[in-house]
Amino acid sequence: MSTPKRTLIIIDQAPYGSFEGREALDMAFSLAAFDQTVSILFSGPGVNWLRKGQLAADIHQKSVEKNLAAAPIFGVQALLANAADCELFNLTQDNLLEQVELVKLTPELTGQFNHITFAG
Amino acid sequence: MAPIHTLHILNKTPGHQRHEACLAALGPQDALVLIENGVLALAKGLDTDVACYALMPDASARGIEDPASEVTMVSFDDMVALTSAAENVISW
Amino acid sequence: MSDLTMPERNNEGFLENAWDWNDRVAETIAEDDGLELTEKHWEIIRFLRTFYAEYEVSPPSNRLFVKAVKEALGEEKGNSIYLMQLFPGTPAKTACRIAGLPRPTNCL
């Protein structure tokens, strides 16, 4: 067995428009289930996953806000968000999901992971 | 095979935001592998200093000939070898 | 005529709408699997109902089902042998089907 990989999954697409993000979430959960260290980073329009108060039933979809709340239970290490993109989409401490950690997208950050993969 | 710091696997067409982001992120000891629609970068011409590879079946499927440039055409097996030679992998 | 109108189900027996579910529906689905529901079954079923109400997702795989039960009810119940005994086959699939939840996405 090789050493566990530190994986970062980046979701850079807005929620509800396509299935790719949900598939990425499934992938993150599955990696965590096999004791792989995995975190999720939201960037670009992807930060809109993290807005409080999503009423997805209005468009007959499941709420990604609620789905994301299950991440810690399934062993996902961290939910990260690119701070600059949060600012761009007016996500502040008031309307951002609590468990999210704001980060700067720097080589120091990405260097912490040896496998980075984008959703979709 | 020379060690690769980060292997960038790119499957997005030129013009896609992530295609451009990938090219901008290439570091001196990195390598780039073009797969799927990423091989269309060869049709457009690619200007980079890092070692560059393209997946042969994806290129030939799109009618893209083996370019005379510094791009090395590779098979699936070669790509697996590249992946294991790399310390880090980013799938764009 | 039965006094129970079974809600719509897909070709694998999962409810089309999780909110069409009630205890009688659960018992009927369990009968299809040859299971008689005991208090131990109900504990897991209620856990899954609560889980779904909160997260709007079924535990995506068997491993994650076991993990989620372990988080909520402890190691004694959150282990694959215990859950396999209660819900034969693939426990996550069997239990979600009976609890009226959607099919776990990563179970074959």
Side-chain angles (χ1 to χ4, degrees):
Chain A
M1 286 292 287
S2 57
T3 52
K5 292 207 164 184
R6 298 177 313 279
T7 300
L8 180 68
I9 294 174
I10 304 182
I11 294 180
D12 67 353
Q13 298 173 55
Y16 305 114
S18 66
F19 283 108
E20 275 103 8
R22 274 180 208 281
E23 283 168 5
L25 200 58
D26 259 6
M27 176 159 78
F29 290 171
S30 300
L31 284 168
F34 284 92
D35 301 320
Q36 302 288 302
T37 308
V38 60
S39 294
I40 308 175
L41 169 69
F42 295 85
S43 75
V47 296
N48 289 292
W49 279 64
L50 308 172
R51 193 180 302 275
K52 272 185 195 165
Q54 300 172 32
L55 301 174
D58 289 3
I59 51 167
H60 311 289
Q61 292 201 43
K62 305 296 176 203
S63 156
V64 299
E65 176 186 359
K66 291 188 173 183
N67 296 168
L68 275 178
I73 293 174
F74 291 145
V76 172
Q77 194 176 44
L79 298 179
L80 311 172
N82 185 19
D85 293 323
C86 288
E87 204 178 314
L88 186 68
F89 285 97
N90 282 312
L91 281 159
T92 62
Q93 292 304 334
D94 296 336
N95 57 0
L96 187 68
L97 301 183
E98 267 101 19
Q99 66 271 43
V100 175
E101 191 184 322
L102 290 178
V103 293
K104 260 190 174 162
L105 256 184
T106 58
E108 288 71 45
L109 176 81
T110 52
Q112 294 171 25
F113 302 91
N114 54 11
H115 190 195
I116 300 179
T117 186
F118 280 82
Chain B
M1 191 176 296
I4 300 169
H5 180 262
T6 299
L7 181 70
H8 298 260
I9 302 175
L10 177 60
N11 69 349
K12 301 291 183 290
T13 46
H16 190 288
Q17 185 203 327
R18 251 185 252 157
H19 185 102
E20 311 310 327
C22 169
L23 296 185
L26 297 171
Q29 287 160 52
D30 292 356
L32 173 67
V33 186
L34 303 167
I35 65 165
E36 299 167 15
N37 279 335
V39 301
L40 295 171
L42 301 180
K44 190 171 163 272
L46 194 62
D47 181 25
T48 168
D49 296 331
V50 310
C52 184
Y53 305 85
L55 192 58
M56 174 84 94
D58 285 339
S60 28
R62 289 162 181 79
I64 292 172
E65 303 271 312
D66 197 345
S69 69
E70 304 86 64
V71 177
T72 311
M73 302 304 270
V74 294
S75 65
F76 283 110
D77 287 350
D78 298 335
M79 193 173 135
V80 173
L82 281 171
T83 309
S84 34
E87 264 175 70
N88 308 291
V89 177
I90 302 184
S91 306
W92 292 89
Chain C
M1 283 289 283
S2 149
D3 58 350
L4 174 78
T5 313
M6 270 304 275
E8 211 179 322
R9 294 205 270 163
N10 72 11
N11 60 349
E12 290 183 281
F14 289 86
L15 292 194
E16 293 289 357
N17 176 0
W19 307 113
D20 287 341
W21 183 90
N22 60 41
D23 288 9
R24 284 282 289 118
V25 170
E27 282 162 0
T28 308
I29 299 173
E31 275 167 31
D32 291 353
D33 290 323
L35 290 177
E36 198 174 321
L37 299 179
T38 66
E39 203 35 58
K40 286 179 175 175
H41 293 96
W42 284 113
E43 184 184 26
I44 304 298
I45 293 166
R46 305 246 178 265
F47 159 72
L48 281 174
R49 295 296 302 178
T50 311
F51 186 92
Y52 190 73
E54 192 163 352
Y55 303 117
E56 293 195 346
V57 65
S58 296
S61 67
N62 209 50
R63 241 180 129 97
L64 290 169
F65 170 53
V66 174
K67 195 164 183 167
V69 173
K70 188 171 159 185
E71 289 272 330
L73 305 172
E75 197 133 3
E76 197 185 317
K77 284 151 188 169
N79 72 75
S80 47
I81 293 168
Y82 179 82
L83 293 168
M84 184 99 70
Q85 280 163 349
L86 289 179
F87 301 99
T90 307
K93 271 178 82 174
T94 309
C96 285
R97 193 191 293 115
I98 295 171
L101 270 55
R103 183 188 193 286
T105 44
N106 295 340
C107 284
L108 299 176

